[in-house]
Amino acid sequence: MAERVLFTCVGTSDPVREMRDGSMLHIMRHYRPEKVYIFLSKEMEDFEKADHRLEKTFCFVNEKWADGTAEAVYEYSGLLNVADMDAVADPLFAFFEKMIRENPDSQVLINLSSGTPQMKTVLAQLAVSSRHGDIRGIQVANPSGKSGKSGRTNEDGYDVQLELELNEDEAPDAPNRCSEPRLFAIQRDRARAQIGSLLARRDYRALEAIGDQLPPDILPLIRHLAARNDLQTEEAYKLARTLSLPFKLYPAKRAAGEEYRELSEYYLLLRNLQLTGRYSEFVLRLNPFLTHLMARQIEMSLPEGAEDVIERWTNGRIKFRADVLRRKLPAAADELDRRCKVYVTDSELSLLVGVRLLRVLGRLPEHVLCTLEACESLNSMQRNQAAHQLHAVTDEDIKRACVDGNQKAYGADELVRIFGGMLEKAYPEVCDKALFTVYDRCGDHISQRL
């Protein structure tokens, strides 16, 4: 169980009033926080210095029922006018942020019942809007069920030791007066639901935009995912180096070259587009991915010494050298002409030529060749429409267009699965299957921190 910390102001009912717990002590009794961050006004600070009431309370608590685990962290604010909202807000927020930094993985309890009305307003805002993941706002009812009018702790003659010894809330059957207002829980649940929805849609830019609702320690991961999903590779790498996670963001069997890194990231983008139903963009993005993957497959299928049939340009484009193929593999060149029904010349590698050349070279499994042929059909039928039509491409549109020579139709999910296998086979010495689910693991990690 995560450590608990309590954030509290101190009022004139704390720590004990009329031999009953004040709000701070009552929350400590029933939630048992390991640390209590206590914000004191100048008036409360003077009382503490005069009679050590809080120090005595923690000594009593640690001896009686906290087993020495309750620790107090004081913030002597020096505030004189604690009825001024502007005066109390900034130092309270600053002390709260300090607590969060020192306890990033803890469950945070906020005492909503101690302090001036202005302090309680700020505390309520923290309970609802803080970007820390696990916060509970707690209110404590007055023992009599109505406002107390006597025996406050700022009166002359207050004896904290006597109050503690005679405290009726020490009795085993004393009622628990703590409650967690449903309003705060509803608002926190709503925020978590919104974040969960954006995670499911993999809309990392939108998540980044509501960063003030996120635990600060996961915001860098959100920024990494946003950059990565936008193929901002260098920015994603830069952010990844700042993160410490229980899993690898770039799993690989060994150091990966630039070509594999780019192709694998493009594959992950296609997978995200498929998972989130963004089929128009999926179709538009498919061509460059398959072109580069086919180039790799062609190079692996060519006999030694003929690899220069594929020529990679510095601008990222890929050229098919038909003249080299004719010189080094004339029979394959003739068969390619026959399948293309045209005399093939040097050009940028296209799906039309690439798919047929792979069929000629005959090194890929039949189901992969059929998939590539279906993708060529999809590219010729849907890509131009996706770029110009007014309505979005659906998975059914893809299935109608993505059909191989055996009349087998492919949906986006099956294409992504087959592409993953092709990528693994194309880079067996580098590709780690854990890469395929890295966004899922990031999403699970973020959800656990909310």
Side-chain angles (χ1 to χ4, degrees):
M1 183 177 178
E3 183 180 75
R4 284 176 170 173
V5 295
L6 171 61
F7 188 77
T8 183
C9 294
V10 175
T12 54
S13 293
D14 296 305
V16 189
R17 175 186 173 193
E18 294 184 314
M19 289 170 279
R20 301 294 295 270
D21 289 345
S23 299
M24 180 191 76
L25 182 57
H26 206 64
I27 295 171
M28 289 177 62
R29 182 184 303 281
H30 291 284
Y31 286 83
R32 303 298 171 95
E34 285 81 1
K35 292 181 184 177
V36 184
Y37 283 72
I38 306 173
F39 186 91
L40 298 98
S41 65
K42 184 63 169 65
E43 180 187 15
M44 294 298 118
E45 176 185 345
D46 290 343
F47 285 129
E48 176 63 17
K49 289 179 177 178
D51 60 17
H52 306 287
R53 58 185 61 185
L54 295 176
E55 179 184 344
K56 291 176 181 177
T57 298
F58 275 82
C59 287
F60 180 88
V61 165
N62 279 318
E63 179 182 342
K64 292 291 186 179
W65 41 263
D67 298 324
T69 61
E71 174 188 351
V73 180
Y74 299 104
E75 175 69 8
Y76 298 109
S77 69
L79 288 176
L80 294 171
N81 185 7
V82 287
D84 183 341
M85 177 70 78
D86 292 332
V88 302
D90 286 345
L92 263 176
F93 276 115
F95 188 41
F96 184 83
E97 288 300 321
K98 173 189 174 184
M99 179 194 67
I100 295 298
R101 288 194 303 272
E102 294 176 354
N103 306 273
D105 299 318
S106 296
Q107 181 184 83
V108 173
L109 314 172
I110 298 182
N111 178 6
L112 303 175
S113 298
S114 288
T116 63
Q118 292 74 18
M119 289 176 164
K120 293 174 186 177
T121 298
V122 174
L123 292 168
Q125 291 173 349
L126 287 171
V128 172
S129 63
S130 173
R131 59 182 176 268
H132 184 73
D134 191 358
I135 292 183
R136 297 187 184 187
I138 302 167
Q139 63 186 14
V140 180
N142 190 281
S144 64
K146 57 185 179 181
S147 299
K149 297 181 180 179
S150 62
R152 291 189 176 274
T153 61
N154 59 349
E155 294 181 358
D156 291 340
Y158 176 73
D159 187 339
V160 67
Q161 199 65 50
L162 181 64
E163 293 275 354
L164 288 166
E165 294 294 343
L166 299 178
N167 187 356
E168 296 177 20
D169 282 319
E170 288 292 324
D173 58 349
N176 179 354
R177 293 181 277 116
C178 296
S179 64
E180 298 179 24
R182 187 60 189 154
L183 172 65
F184 299 111
I186 289 171
Q187 290 176 304
R188 296 294 298 179
D189 289 347
R190 186 181 297 122
R192 289 190 179 100
Q194 179 190 11
I195 293 167
S197 175
L198 292 174
L199 271 177
R201 287 160 40 199
R202 306 204 171 190
D203 193 342
Y204 304 113
R205 288 300 179 193
L207 277 168
E208 184 181 11
I210 60 166
D212 60 345
Q213 297 183 40
L214 298 168
D217 59 318
I218 67 170
L219 193 52
L221 177 57
I222 295 292
R223 289 175 176 147
H224 162 80
L225 293 172
R228 189 169 182 174
N229 200 45
D230 288 345
L231 298 180
Q232 296 175 359
T233 308
E234 292 306 315
E235 178 66 14
Y237 285 148
K238 178 182 175 182
L239 289 164
R241 286 192 286 269
T242 69
L243 297 169
S244 178
L245 298 169
F247 54 88
K248 293 181 179 179
L249 286 169
Y250 295 97
K253 294 178 181 177
R254 66 174 177 82
E258 182 178 352
E259 178 185 277
Y260 170 76
R261 289 200 302 267
E262 290 183 353
L263 202 53
S264 61
E265 289 304 304
Y266 213 105
Y267 168 77
L268 292 178
L269 170 61
L270 287 174
R271 185 174 186 272
N272 284 346
L273 294 174
Q274 176 263 314
L275 287 171
T276 55
R278 294 158 63 189
Y279 298 116
S280 294
E281 189 175 352
F282 178 86
V283 170
L284 291 171
R285 296 277 194 171
L286 193 58
N287 190 296
F289 170 77
L290 281 181
T291 300
H292 283 75
L293 185 57
M294 281 195 314
R296 170 69 174 177
Q297 298 282 7
I298 291 169
E299 288 170 331
M300 295 176 69
S301 300
L302 288 165
E304 186 176 352
E307 296 90 344
D308 51 348
V309 166
I310 296 298
E311 183 178 282
R312 297 178 183 273
W313 296 350
T314 55
N315 61 3
R317 292 184 174 182
I318 299 172
K319 185 175 183 179
F320 166 63
R321 294 292 304 275
D323 60 333
V324 175
L325 184 69
R326 293 187 191 286
R327 187 172 68 251
K328 295 186 176 182
L329 299 170
D334 290 343
E335 179 63 15
L336 180 62
D337 288 345
R338 188 186 71 80
R339 289 179 178 272
C340 291
K341 299 178 181 180
V342 67
Y343 185 83
V344 180
T345 59
D346 292 4
S347 64
E348 284 192 53
L349 183 64
S350 66
L351 286 183
L352 186 149
V353 171
V355 170
R356 285 159 179 75
L357 180 56
L358 284 168
R359 175 69 76 176
V360 169
L361 295 172
R363 295 287 299 275
L364 290 184
E366 180 65 21
H367 79 278
V368 172
L369 290 169
C370 287
T371 303
L372 291 174
E373 289 170 349
C375 288
E376 183 201 342
S377 173
L378 172 66
N379 184 65
S380 62
M381 293 178 63
Q382 277 290 336
R383 192 169 191 271
N384 191 56
Q385 292 183 41
H388 297 98
Q389 67 190 11
L390 293 176
H391 69 84
V393 174
T394 67
D395 198 34
E396 287 304 313
D397 292 331
I398 291 175
K399 289 177 181 177
R400 279 192 292 270
C402 193
V403 180
D404 65 20
N406 300 316
Q407 299 306 303
K408 172 178 167 56
Y410 299 78
D413 57 341
E414 186 172 9
L415 290 178
V416 167
R417 179 180 58 79
I418 294 172
F419 295 159
M422 291 173 63
L423 187 64
E424 186 181 3
K425 292 290 194 303
Y427 299 89
E429 72 286 358
V430 178
C431 185
D432 184 335
K433 281 186 177 181
L435 176 76
F436 300 159
T437 55
V438 68
Y439 280 91
D440 304 88
R441 290 197 300 280
C442 287
D444 290 342
H445 179 76
I446 293 167
S447 295
Q448 290 167 8
R449 295 290 297 116
L450 296 178

